[in-house]
Amino acid sequence: MAYNLKESVKKPERLAGGHRMCAGCGAPVVVRAILRALKEDDHAVIGSATGCLEVSTCLYPYTSWKDSFIHSAFENAAATVSGAEAAYNALKRKGKITGDTKFITFGGDGGTYDIGLQSLSGAMERGHDMVYICYDNGAYMNTGIQRSSATPSFADTTTSPAGNVIPGKMQPRKDLTLIMANHNIPYVAQTAPMGNFKDIYAKAEKALYTPGAAFINAFAPCPRGWRYETPLLMDIIKLAVDTCIWPLYEVEDGKLTVNYKPRKKLPVEDFLKAQGRFRHMFKKGNEWTIEQFQKDVDEKWERLLSMEEN
Amino acid sequence: MDKVLMKGNEAIAEAAIRANCRHFFGYPITPQTEISAYMAKRMSKVGGTFLQAESEVAAINMVYGAAGAGVRVMTSSSSPGISLKMEGLSYIAGADLPCVIVNIVRAGPGLGGIQPAQSDYFQAVKGGGHGDYRMIVIAPSSIQETVDCTIDAFDLADKYRMPVMLMGDGMLGQMMEPVSFPEVKTDHLPKKDWATTGTKMKRKANIINSLYIHPEELEEVILKREEKYNTIYETEVKYHTEGLENADVVLVAYGTTARIAKAAIALAKQNGIKAGLIRPITLWPFPTDIIAKTAPNVKCMISVEMSTGQMVEDIRLAVNGVCPVHFYGRTGGAVPTPTAIFEQIRRYA
């Protein structure tokens, strides 16, 4: 059946409202979009790394998760879920469990790009039948906006503060999606909850129902850390994609497809200017930061297009 | 000396910089992230290095590297993060390297909570990491004392070539108090001629190592280190006492809890009960002597902690059965109230 947003939202919610994520946060939007791709009869075991999503959705004794939920620590969400998946396989083999269970892990960029990279890499390499979803908001937001290796260049965070001499974070973002693609797993995708959510839905469905390990990197803006007005959430996501700062693409069995090519590629300023974390880039004398940012985005975009061709 | 109003975490960071610490390796965790944020802003202005690692494991091993090069170096974290640092800490102790580790304790075990606790006492003073090693553990109870202890921590680390832990709790980290920063002198400290800074072809290479394959060789190294620990136990114990003369009941409490204990002692006085306080400032070396000396003169001692009873074991060892040792504690992030502690004093007086 062709994708239809109206139809897909008729499915019962698997992440209940009433959780304590901020207004204008991209993370719960990502989670709900991903979980909508589950078949209604399938059960899910969901693990979460420490982070905003975890602390805001499972304040003991309350939980927003309709499926089974595990949280263990910051660095080991992928290991925890791969253990659960291995146990499930053993029980299934012995005929002690029935029905279909899907294994899903959510982690923020701190818990995925940085401290959790080792356990993520291990779980993917071993090929557990699980999906790891990184909701990438580009910093440690739960502890109060510290830079991570997903923080874009020049962003102002409390541990990469922009001052008179140093204009924010001095290193480029780590390209985690391509690192995961190089694990040669069946499915890797970069997505964002945008428009009618078709891209994220289709990718979640493929990731969940392709046997083996899958990784999804989902763009999830943070109003506190990025300093934007909360109603602008969806506009900012669209701008990230239309400026090619966050390209939507997927790698299936090694074949890369760019899923969205903006008809008119917008300048990076359009994305940067709506956010307080980049404000210093527009100060006199800092013009070079915007030029550098644009150059980096252009190079990465061209490289992605050439990878698609090859 | 001018006083400034500062948050505990920021005062620790500033004190470290005043103590000539120019290398800081951190990782975010509540309730101590302000130390990293302060260092991020301040270090570049004093020509130092602030680096946010990709994990606590990485941060402590960066400390290992910097300490080996002979520079003053610090890392900070809170309980779950300190657990991750334990392997590196054991290696640092085994390689006889000086550094300062800050633990702004929160409730555990596991993820626990982010409220203040003192439940990492065992981990800090009884090892935590593997092997025969000790770590000087200092537990201040005000922001000013936190500043002074941070500076002392660097001196002690350099003096004895060993890791020193500054142990606070979420309340000390987040609380604001007026502080002043003393002038720091380091000329009395030994030269770091053991550091691996390059021989320039002029001397024999220094080697920093914790691996010894032959048991006899390792035993010798450990026993020599043990002698150093014994010296520390004899000379570096620090504590504070109040009202021990004529006291019937003596409270033993450190850090935040000691401040609350003082209020309880004042309540006892109003009610005609004589109570005193022994406040360990060094948790290792533990103030065993003063506790042992006080024990014969009192009805009992009460250990007051934000844990289910950890330091109480060391008090009992020091008292050695001479007087009863009771325990009162709150845990999980809960903080004892003066009234609740006073009730314990009244119960046992």
Side-chain angles (χ1 to χ4, degrees):
Chain A
M1 197 180 71
Y3 172 78
N4 181 317
L5 178 63
K6 277 187 184 166
E7 287 304 314
S8 85
V9 296
K10 283 181 186 164
K11 285 184 178 175
E13 282 286 351
R14 300 177 92 123
L15 181 77
H19 58 69
R20 301 186 191 184
M21 300 294 276
C22 302
C25 166
V29 182
V30 164
V31 172
R32 290 169 58 221
I34 298 272
L35 297 184
R36 273 200 293 274
L38 277 166
K39 290 176 192 158
E40 271 188 65
D41 293 338
D42 283 353
H43 177 68
V45 169
I46 298 169
S48 175
T50 306
C52 288
L53 180 68
E54 168 264 322
V55 298
S56 307
T57 58
C58 68
L59 284 129
Y60 185 82
Y62 305 107
T63 178
S64 294
W65 301 89
K66 300 281 177 72
D67 292 283
S68 304
F69 184 79
I70 317 177
H71 165 258
S72 48
F74 201 8
E75 71 283 11
N76 56 7
T80 305
V81 173
S82 60
E85 187 262 0
Y88 167 78
N89 284 340
L91 291 170
K92 193 118 190 179
R93 202 165 50 237
K94 291 175 184 168
K96 290 184 176 174
I97 200 165
T98 53
D100 280 323
T101 298
K102 290 288 160 193
F103 291 84
I104 303 171
T105 314
F106 288 101
D109 49 286
T112 307
Y113 283 66
D114 289 352
I115 195 167
L117 186 61
Q118 180 175 321
S119 80
L120 169 62
S121 179
M124 296 290 112
E125 186 272 337
R126 288 189 303 271
H128 294 275
D129 189 6
M130 61 183 273
V131 185
Y132 190 107
I133 296 117
C134 175
Y135 68 97
D136 184 341
N137 56 25
Y140 292 80
M141 300 310 186
N142 189 36
T143 44
I145 321 162
Q146 288 78 39
R147 60 90 84 191
S148 76
S149 57
T151 305
S153 304
F154 308 117
D156 175 53
T157 75
T158 61
T159 52
S160 63
N164 292 332
V165 181
I166 304 171
K169 192 195 175 199
M170 293 312 288
Q171 299 83 11
R173 280 184 69 242
K174 183 190 280 181
D175 197 336
L176 183 66
T177 312
L178 286 182
I179 292 171
M180 297 323 295
N182 279 299
H183 280 64
N184 301 316
I185 51 177
Y187 190 73
V188 170
Q190 186 159 292
T191 185
M194 195 179 84
N196 66 354
F197 287 50
K198 188 180 173 187
D199 188 81
I200 191 166
Y201 183 93
K203 286 172 179 170
E205 197 172 41
K206 275 187 196 171
L208 286 161
Y209 293 100
T210 303
F215 175 82
I216 292 178
N217 205 356
F219 194 67
C222 166
R224 295 287 304 131
W226 297 13
R227 306 283 173 201
Y228 62 81
E229 297 297 325
T230 54
L232 294 180
L233 169 66
M234 301 314 282
D235 297 339
I236 283 178
I237 293 173
K238 182 86 169 54
L239 283 168
V241 176
D242 281 336
T243 51
C244 298
I245 286 171
W246 190 265
L248 307 182
Y249 67 96
E250 63 192 339
V251 185
E252 292 169 281
D253 290 323
K255 194 188 172 323
L256 189 145
T257 310
V258 178
N259 308 102
Y260 178 88
K261 289 166 191 161
R263 220 166 279 155
K264 184 173 178 292
K265 185 166 167 259
L266 298 176
V268 293
E269 285 101 315
D270 290 6
F271 173 77
L272 302 174
K273 69 187 174 195
Q275 301 171 47
R277 63 175 172 159
F278 297 120
R279 190 176 298 130
H280 56 283
M281 294 173 78
F282 293 90
K283 275 190 192 154
K284 206 166 179 288
N286 279 349
E287 293 80 3
W288 68 274
T289 58
I290 295 178
E291 284 164 27
Q292 180 71 47
F293 200 103
Q294 184 70 61
K295 193 168 154 268
D296 292 348
V297 168
D298 291 346
E299 278 174 13
K300 279 192 184 134
W301 176 244
E302 291 305 323
R303 201 181 315 147
L304 204 61
L305 293 178
S306 71
M307 284 169 79
E308 184 183 33
E309 274 173 31
N310 299 327
Chain B
M1 224 176 329
D2 287 346
K3 289 215 168 199
V4 280
L5 188 65
M6 277 186 104
K7 199 177 200 179
N9 283 335
E10 295 181 343
I12 291 170
E14 182 59 33
I17 287 170
R18 302 281 178 121
N20 223 15
C21 167
R22 289 292 177 274
H23 298 80
F24 178 87
F25 304 104
Y27 190 74
I29 184 168
T30 308
Q32 65 76 49
T33 308
E34 294 87 356
I35 300 179
S36 274
Y38 191 91
M39 287 297 197
K41 278 207 170 121
R42 190 84 166 84
M43 267 302 187
S44 60
K45 290 180 182 157
V46 293
T49 301
F50 161 81
L51 200 154
Q52 185 184 313
E54 72 275 23
S55 70
E56 283 92 348
V57 177
I60 191 71
N61 284 294
M62 289 171 184
V63 168
Y64 188 178
V71 296
R72 284 198 154 181
V73 55
M74 182 167 99
T75 185
S76 68
S77 194
S78 177
S79 311
I82 295 290
S83 291
L84 279 171
K85 287 185 196 289
M86 278 299 152
E87 181 195 53
L89 199 52
S90 167
Y91 277 66
I92 290 169
D96 297 309
L97 292 177
C99 65
V100 175
I101 299 109
V102 180
N103 184 3
I104 300 298
V105 183
R106 60 188 244 186
L111 197 64
I114 56 171
Q115 302 301 325
Q118 296 179 321
S119 43
D120 293 359
Y121 179 92
F122 282 155
Q123 187 192 49
V125 307
K126 308 285 181 196
H130 61 282
D132 274 321
Y133 81 93
R134 292 287 186 178
M135 177 166 64
I136 296 174
V137 182
I138 314 177
S141 86
S142 70
I143 310 299
Q144 182 61 57
E145 197 175 42
T146 303
V147 165
D148 300 339
C149 288
T150 304
I151 295 163
D152 285 349
F154 281 101
D155 285 0
L156 288 166
D158 283 350
K159 187 173 170 189
Y160 294 106
R161 275 183 69 179
M162 65 188 285
V164 176
M165 177 175 279
L166 185 81
M167 198 155 93
D169 60 62
M171 198 176 287
L172 277 172
Q174 297 296 322
M175 183 166 70
M176 289 182 92
E177 278 181 342
V179 290
S180 59
F181 293 92
E183 202 190 321
V184 175
K185 285 189 184 137
T186 52
D187 44 9
H188 60 288
L189 292 166
K191 277 207 172 77
K192 296 184 175 179
D193 52 10
W194 45 263
T196 48
T197 51
T199 64
K200 301 188 179 73
M201 309 298 277
K202 283 180 182 162
R203 60 163 168 83
K204 239 180 104 190
N206 287 333
I207 295 171
I208 289 166
N209 174 43
S210 70
L211 172 70
Y212 299 88
I213 294 295
H214 302 293
E216 294 76 15
E217 201 187 343
L218 179 55
E219 187 180 42
E220 196 188 318
V221 170
I222 292 171
L223 291 178
K224 201 176 154 215
R225 198 175 291 129
E226 192 62 21
E227 280 172 30
K228 174 171 82 180
Y229 293 156
N230 291 337
T231 308
I232 295 168
Y233 222 115
E234 280 160 24
T235 55
E236 302 293 353
V237 173
K238 261 189 160 179
Y239 58 87
H240 174 83
T241 64
E242 264 181 59
L244 291 190
E245 317 76 36
N246 309 321
D248 289 323
V249 176
V250 166
L251 302 181
V252 186
Y254 68 93
T256 295
T257 315
R259 298 168 70 121
I260 308 164
K262 282 188 195 175
I265 289 167
L267 277 176
K269 196 176 174 191
Q270 285 168 22
N271 286 273
I273 304 169
K274 283 178 238 151
L277 173 72
I278 297 174
R279 176 170 74 86
I281 298 171
T282 52
L283 300 181
W284 194 92
F286 192 67
T288 309
D289 284 355
I290 183 69
I291 291 170
K293 268 183 214 154
T294 309
N297 312 324
V298 298
K299 270 191 190 165
C300 70
M301 291 194 185
I302 308 173
S303 182
V304 186
E305 304 173 46
M306 291 193 281
S307 76
T308 51
Q310 301 194 7
M311 181 176 70
V312 67
E313 292 188 3
D314 285 334
I315 300 168
R316 288 193 176 125
L317 281 172
V319 166
N320 203 15
V322 170
C323 75
V325 179
H326 305 290
F327 170 76
Y328 176 70
R330 295 294 304 275
T331 190
V335 179
T337 62
T339 334
I341 300 172
F342 165 64
E343 285 307 323
Q344 299 295 317
I345 298 173
R346 183 149 66 184
R347 182 176 164 196
Y348 295 116

